Amino acid sequence: MTEPARILVVGGGYVGMYTALRLQRQLRAELRAGTVEIVVVTPDPYMTYQPFLPEAAAGSISPRHVVVPLRRVLDRCRILIGEVGSIDHAKRTATLSTLATEEEGTGAIELAYDELVLAPGSVSRTLPVPGLADHGIGFKTVEEAIGLRNHVIEQMDIASSTRDPALRDAALTFVFVGGGYAGVEALGELEDMARYTSRYYHNVKPEDLKWVLVEASDRILPEVGEAMGKYAIRELRGRNIDVRLETRLESCEDRVAVLSDGTRLPTRTVVWTAGVKPAPVLAASDLPLNGRGRLRCTAHLAVEGVEHAWAAGDAAAVPDVTSGEPGKECAPNAQHAVRQAKALAENVAASLSGRPLREYAHSYAGSVASLGLHKGVAHVYGRKLKGYPAWFMHRAYHLSRVPTFNRKARVLAEWTLSGLFKREIVSLGSLEHPRAEFELAAAPPPDHGDKPSS
């Protein structure tokens, strides 16, 4: 019996999920006949819709509605929960570790493939800042978003109950590093949430909370344009948020954030959102990379110079054929990712059947960003919006892009309910250590030595 042609999709994020979803639709007959197999290797059994992470952190959306279960959506694909460590494309093999290989102790396994789709996304780009690894908090996963929400409310609890003014000030100081989408939207939503939450504390007022945004360049939100970026700064500063431009985080050792302008901020919260870098698996392959570590691709979303390898999203350097500027590449953002996934799947299917490929072409439409509840900025098709209209456009756009009708309906229902009822202000920090209480109960009683005889 002839082995089926195996399409290996590395990554279950936006590009990976949508590419596999479209492939299983276009190759329905081949999958049914057993001539094609689609294997998706991903670290998590779900896809995270990252633009909704700030709202999940603020409690506007339930965490389970920010993620899409891959096994339900990709019901004709084989899902492997694990990570690809290296790729030898010359031999058409990928080395991967799964949950089973860890339990068995057998080490990584090799998986052969015929077509390779690389969509591993990106990871946080950190710098060698002293203390960052010990005290920094990321903001790329739903676990980090909910953990940050719990952490912020926990700091308010500490400030409310302590008699130490230094501890109180450190607990109520929140430092965000990075003025891109992730940093600004997370800061805006959490500041909104914390300000609302403070009304339920008898000794914590909104003005007691200190929020600091640190950005190394001279502007924030460059995607929405200079004018809207300046408006965003005015909006944030109007809410008593300290925006530091052309400033870097030098150290955060001993719970003190030291900035490049000499400022020392005692704080228990440092959120790092200062950019991303390509996933490490790209460097562990024999595929061509550009100077930034991304895969060099053609306009057909094929990896340049090799056959049977494809890429899109954050991992791919795709030429922007709509730009008159030579050498310009598509920005690694969600707007391009969702469209690239569609074109990528069509080209992989066309390649299998010998049909001609089509170039990926999409003119940049613009950007939208939320600054908290009912506040936002937008620069779309040359039009600039701010305040409520921009915030509404932000929600409408991302609601239209979140995968599956099921998720759209649930998110819309939650937004409707949150408009009718008060915010939830509960911290579920125990979720991060669910066995802590049981371990304490199951531990042997302390030995206090021999009791004196009566």
Side-chain angles (χ1 to χ4, degrees), residues 48 91 132 136-137 158 160 182 244 258 274 334 341 369 371 376 380 415 425 434:
T48 302
K91 296 181 179 178
L132 182 62
I137 303 172
I158 291 173
S160 176
R244 305 283 185 100
V258 180
L371 302 177
V380 181
W415 281 343
I425 60 166

Side-chain angles (χ1 to χ4, degrees), residues 420-454:
L420 297 174
F421 300 100
K422 295 180 179 179
R423 283 179 186 254
E424 293 291 346
I425 60 166
V426 178
S427 167
L428 297 176
S430 58
L431 288 176
E432 296 159 38
H433 307 284
R435 295 189 66 248
E437 185 173 346
F438 183 79
E439 288 174 348
L440 183 63
D447 185 6
H448 296 297
D450 295 334
K451 292 184 179 180
S453 58
S454 56

Side-chain angles (χ1 to χ4, degrees), residues 179-181 184-185 189 220-236 239 364 366-380 383-395 397-398:
Y181 278 124
V184 172
E185 291 192 339
E189 292 284 354
I220 67 172
L221 297 175
E223 297 87 353
V224 299
E226 186 175 358
M228 289 296 95
K230 289 180 177 178
Y231 167 80
I233 292 174
R234 293 196 301 271
E235 166 67 26
L236 294 176
R239 288 157 57 179
Y364 190 58
S367 299
V368 291
S370 169
L371 302 177
L373 192 63
H374 300 158
K375 296 174 281 289
V377 290
H379 190 184
V380 181
R383 299 193 62 182
K384 300 172 183 177
L385 298 173
K386 57 188 179 182
Y388 186 89
W391 172 82
F392 183 82
M393 179 176 287
H394 172 271
R395 280 201 162 182
Y397 173 77
H398 286 300

Side-chain angles (χ1 to χ4, degrees), residues 37-265:
E37 178 188 29
I38 303 172
V39 178
V40 180
V41 180
T42 172
D44 302 304
Y46 52 80
M47 187 280 287
T48 302
Y49 189 68
Q50 291 187 347
F52 278 160
L53 288 183
E55 293 206 45
S60 300
I61 301 176
S62 171
R64 66 183 185 277
H65 297 155
V66 179
V67 299
V68 179
L70 294 177
R71 295 189 190 280
R72 177 185 295 177
V73 176
L74 305 178
D75 55 335
R76 298 185 189 94
C77 298
R78 179 184 169 199
I79 309 294
L80 291 178
I81 306 305
E83 293 193 48
V84 174
S86 62
I87 295 171
D88 187 344
H89 189 65
K91 296 181 179 178
R92 303 285 194 276
T93 59
T95 303
L96 63 141
S97 301
T98 67
L99 295 177
T101 58
E102 291 179 12
E103 291 293 325
E104 295 166 353
T106 55
I109 60 174
E110 282 194 351
L111 183 68
Y113 60 82
D114 297 284
E115 298 285 339
L116 175 67
V117 175
L118 275 166
S122 56
V123 297
S124 294
R125 176 174 57 84
T126 58
L127 299 176
V129 176
L132 182 62
D134 297 321
H135 304 296
I137 303 172
F139 200 79
K140 272 190 67 65
T141 68
V142 67
E143 293 87 355
E144 288 175 328
I146 304 310
L148 182 56
R149 168 188 170 82
N150 292 335
H151 175 82
V152 168
I153 297 177
E154 185 180 90
Q155 298 313 301
M156 297 177 71
D157 290 335
I158 291 173
S160 176
S161 56
T162 185
R163 296 183 179 181
D164 183 344
L167 175 59
R168 174 186 168 89
D169 288 345
L172 295 181
T173 300
F174 307 96
V175 178
F176 284 67
V177 184
Y181 278 124
V184 172
E185 291 192 339
L187 172 58
E189 292 284 354
L190 283 164
E191 189 274 339
D192 238 1
M193 182 271 293
R195 182 157 28 88
Y196 177 88
T197 303
S198 67
R199 69 178 64 183
Y200 296 101
Y201 289 81
H202 71 284
N203 59 349
V204 176
K205 298 180 175 59
E207 53 268 27
D208 296 335
L209 282 75
K210 184 174 184 178
W211 299 83
V212 183
L213 177 63
V214 179
E215 168 55 40
S217 70
D218 60 351
R219 59 195 292 192
I220 67 172
L221 297 175
E223 297 87 353
V224 299
E226 186 175 358
M228 289 296 95
K230 289 180 177 178
Y231 167 80
I233 292 174
R234 293 196 301 271
E235 166 67 26
L236 294 176
R237 286 175 173 165
R239 288 157 57 179
N240 205 31
I241 295 172
D242 185 358
V243 180
R244 305 283 185 100
L245 300 178
E246 298 182 280
T247 307
R248 297 178 306 279
L249 177 69
E250 299 284 358
S251 168
C252 57
E253 289 183 304
D254 303 321
R255 294 191 180 278
V256 177
V258 180
L259 307 184
S260 59
D261 61 6
T263 304
R264 295 174 62 87
L265 298 168

